[in-house]
Amino acid sequence: MSDIPACPVCAMENTYPDGDNYVCADCGHEWPIAAAETAEAALVVRDVNGNVLNGGDTVTVIKDLKVKGSSIPLKQGTVIRNIRLVDGDDEHIEGNSDKIKGLVLKVCFLKKA
């Protein structure tokens, strides 16, 4: 598997390095290699209030959520302990509640406890 990132404009993976830039063969977009590396390192996950979330934190659900594959909804105020951050994604976290295991939740519905 290649470590060359997908195009940030069209999301196609048909990209290649050309000197100091990555080039997308599909849409022609060019972006600097250094910018792609710093963007991955600067990935910060924030909750609905703007607080930085780290792996192992505890969060609280701010509104009732329907859970796919379960008849039990996730109620407002439910605590999710020991969260895990999703690599390369600043909008989702993984965690478990007391009743539902293996949740993937959007951070816009969570606040740091």
Side-chain angles (χ1 to χ4, degrees):
M1 180 174 211
S2 171
D3 61 339
I4 299 173
C7 177
V9 174
C10 67
M12 298 298 286
E13 294 186 3
N14 192 10
T15 58
Y16 59 91
D18 184 24
D20 291 336
N21 292 329
Y22 286 125
V23 179
C24 178
D26 295 315
C27 69
H29 178 68
E30 294 184 21
W31 68 101
I33 291 174
E37 292 171 357
T38 58
E40 291 177 6
L43 184 68
V44 177
V45 179
R46 296 185 182 273
D47 71 354
V48 70
N49 295 326
N51 299 321
V52 176
L53 296 175
N54 299 309
D57 283 348
T58 300
V59 295
T60 305
V61 178
I62 63 168
K63 69 177 263 186
D64 291 353
L65 299 173
K66 293 180 182 178
V67 179
K68 286 185 179 180
S70 175
S71 60
I72 304 169
L74 205 55
K75 296 288 189 176
Q76 178 180 356
T78 301
V79 176
I80 309 294
R81 292 183 176 84
N82 198 19
I83 65 168
R84 293 175 303 281
L85 303 181
V86 178
D87 289 336
D89 190 358
D90 62 347
E91 294 184 11
H92 295 91
I93 59 106
E94 296 176 349
N96 298 320
S97 72
D98 294 336
K99 297 180 181 180
I100 305 171
K101 307 297 181 206
L103 292 168
V104 176
L105 299 167
K106 286 191 162 206
V107 294
C108 63
F109 298 118
L110 305 172
K111 69 177 182 178
K112 193 169 185 177

